Amino acid sequence: QVQLVESGGGLVQAGGSLRLSCAASGRILSASAVGWFRQAPGKEREFVAGIRWNSGKTFTADSVKGRFTISKDNATNMVFLQMNAMKPEDTAVYYCAASYNCGVSLQNCPYNDWGQGTQVTVSS
C-alpha cells in the first residue's frame, strides 16, 4: 500500500499557475504509475495526467495538454503537477493516485490508493 498526500492547492486568477505536489510513502517502489485526477462539484472524476514510476513516460489528457505537466522525483518520492495558463474550468479538487498493475494506457490503469485531495480554485 502507498500513502499519498497532496499539497499546493489554492486560489489563483485565470492565466496564473500553480504547482501541486504529491508525497508518496510506503510501498511506492511497487507502484507502476501515479496519476493526477480532478473532480469538480457535480461532475465525474476526471483523469488529468499520469506518469510511469520506472520509465517516467507520461500521458496528459487533451483538456489540459500544453498547459499542465506531470513530473516526478524518485529521490524524494514526489510527483508534481505544474499547471499553467489556468482557466476557471480547472477549478476542482485534485487527487493523486497510485496504480500497481498499469497496462498500456495510463488513463485506464486501475488506481488503487488515493490521497485526500487538494482544492484548486481559479477565479475569472
Side-chain angles (χ1 to χ4, degrees):
Q1 188 176 7
V2 175
Q3 292 77 46
L4 302 163
V5 179
E6 303 94 337
S7 61
L11 175 64
V12 64
Q13 288 188 330
S17 299
L18 278 177
R19 188 193 196 205
L20 303 184
S21 299
C22 174
S25 60
R27 296 179 57 204
I28 184 61
L29 293 181
S30 65
S32 60
V34 175
W36 282 100
F37 294 77
R38 66 186 182 184
Q39 188 165 21
K43 293 190 176 181
E44 296 283 322
R45 186 172 61 199
E46 174 189 18
F47 173 87
V48 175
I51 188 165
R52 295 196 182 272
W53 192 253
N54 290 328
S55 69
K57 289 186 177 180
T58 65
F59 179 80
T60 305
D62 287 344
S63 58
V64 302
K65 193 168 291 184
R67 301 188 297 121
F68 290 12
T69 303
I70 187 171
S71 62
K72 66 181 176 69
D73 183 343
N74 286 53
T76 58
N77 291 342
M78 298 285 291
V79 179
F80 306 101
L81 185 68
Q82 179 66 44
M83 306 185 292
N84 299 327
M86 297 187 72
K87 304 175 182 180
E89 52 262 44
D90 294 322
T91 295
V93 177
Y94 284 71
Y95 301 89
C96 62
S99 176
Y100 302 100
N101 54 345
C102 190
V104 174
S105 169
L106 278 164
Q107 185 170 0
N108 296 320
C109 296
Y111 287 93
N112 309 98
D113 292 326
W114 293 79
Q116 84 290 347
T118 185
Q119 175 70 47
V120 171
T121 303
V122 185
S123 63
S124 57

